[in-house]
Amino acid sequence: MSESLESYSPILDRDLADLAVIDLGNLELNHLNIEAALDTISQAAAKAAGTAKLAIMLGGEHTASLGGFRGMKRVHPDGVIIQADAHLDMRPDYEGQPFTHATWLHHVGEEFGFDRIHQVGLRSGDRAEWRLARGTTAWSSTELSLPTSVRERIEKRPVYVSVDIDVLDPAHAPGTGCPEPGGMTFRELASFLYSLEGLNVVALDVMEVSPNVDPANITAAAAAKLVREAILLFAAE
Ligand SMILES: [Mn+2]
């Protein structure tokens, strides 16, 4: 979808043509078990976070974000995460599996501390997840915004932003595994992204984009534009 997208952002008045953008290619994960796949993702994320001003991952199953955050933390031990998602993803296990799109953030909390976690745009999860989120995370909200007090606590700490495309309303992103009504418009999500300017965002992923269930390519178009704006926002001076 990026081929049909302009490299210039009129809102930011910046152009991808002025930046060095490197595609590190796809990760071959299909033959790996989940632990090995997460290790592969983590190594790639550490390499990207260690060399680029902004490391980006595109997916794909949201479990991969656990590997992405692990890799980013190797380079930036003080890093925190901001997740924009319809779902809390905080179950301790899901259908008997420890590592899934519904549990990956629980692992982030257990491995690095639940106080590293900031969640926005939430509107789905079971009662235990909501209790855990409300009791332990730095911020968990149904709103797509971060209060000033939360921003001030993050200060200049390195930030990993994880966007589940299902934070958008299914009307704006129908091509995803778990569409959840009552979501955001693309403009609202872009505005949230712009609101993060000034934070030290060093890594970002956009996950759960499934073009195969979206014949109109609305979802991929949204993801591509969001990534362009993110690059121009956080990687350009
Ligand atoms: Mn989700």
Side-chain angles (χ1 to χ4, degrees):
M1 288 308 290
S2 61
E3 287 181 2
S4 59
L5 190 68
E6 299 285 359
S7 62
Y8 174 73
S9 167
I11 292 177
L12 297 171
D13 189 24
R14 294 173 190 164
D15 199 313
L16 290 179
D18 298 331
L19 300 176
V21 182
I22 301 168
D23 183 356
L24 296 177
N26 298 333
L27 295 178
E28 288 299 330
L29 306 173
N30 285 343
H31 61 293
L32 301 175
N33 66 35
I34 185 70
E35 307 265 10
L38 286 168
D39 280 346
T40 300
I41 296 163
S42 174
Q43 284 168 23
K47 181 181 169 192
T51 49
K53 190 165 180 189
L54 178 69
I56 294 178
M57 174 167 65
L58 306 178
E61 164 64 46
H62 210 167
T63 315
S65 297
L66 174 60
F69 191 65
R70 282 175 176 170
M72 177 263 207
K73 290 284 278 186
R74 288 196 216 165
V75 181
H76 302 287
D78 201 27
V80 301
I81 187 165
I82 298 173
Q83 171 208 23
D85 199 324
H87 311 93
L88 284 92
D89 297 347
M90 294 261 276
R91 283 173 157 88
D93 62 82
Y94 184 59
E95 296 179 342
Q97 301 294 321
F99 296 105
T100 77
H101 60 267
T103 63
W104 69 274
L105 200 67
H106 194 110
H107 291 279
V108 167
E110 287 193 326
E111 292 175 25
F112 304 106
F114 285 91
D115 61 351
R116 301 278 173 160
I117 295 172
H118 310 73
Q119 303 176 282
V120 293
L122 302 169
R123 55 192 186 276
S124 178
D126 73 14
R127 185 178 294 189
E129 281 183 281
W130 281 99
R131 192 176 295 132
L132 181 65
R134 287 170 170 148
T136 63
T137 67
W139 186 250
S140 295
S141 174
T142 58
E143 299 293 321
L144 192 61
S145 60
L146 282 181
T148 307
S149 59
V150 175
R151 279 185 67 114
E152 286 174 354
R153 263 184 276 137
I154 294 173
E155 219 188 351
K156 286 296 166 193
R157 291 206 284 178
V159 175
Y160 184 113
V161 177
S162 181
V163 178
D164 186 325
I165 204 69
D166 70 26
V167 73
L168 292 174
D169 191 82
H172 294 263
T176 192
C178 303
E180 184 70 34
M184 318 307 169
T185 66
F186 181 82
R187 287 178 79 119
E188 288 167 338
L189 180 56
S191 293
F192 173 68
L193 196 73
Y194 301 142
S195 81
L196 300 181
E197 191 164 30
L199 293 179
N200 182 22
V201 177
V202 298
L204 174 131
D205 65 38
V206 179
M207 307 302 285
E208 296 289 338
V209 177
S210 298
N212 57 316
V213 291
D214 177 7
N217 271 335
I218 300 166
T219 318
K225 188 163 184 176
L226 192 73
V227 169
R228 183 194 74 188
E229 296 301 86
I231 294 171
L232 295 174
L233 198 58
F234 303 125
E237 291 288 355

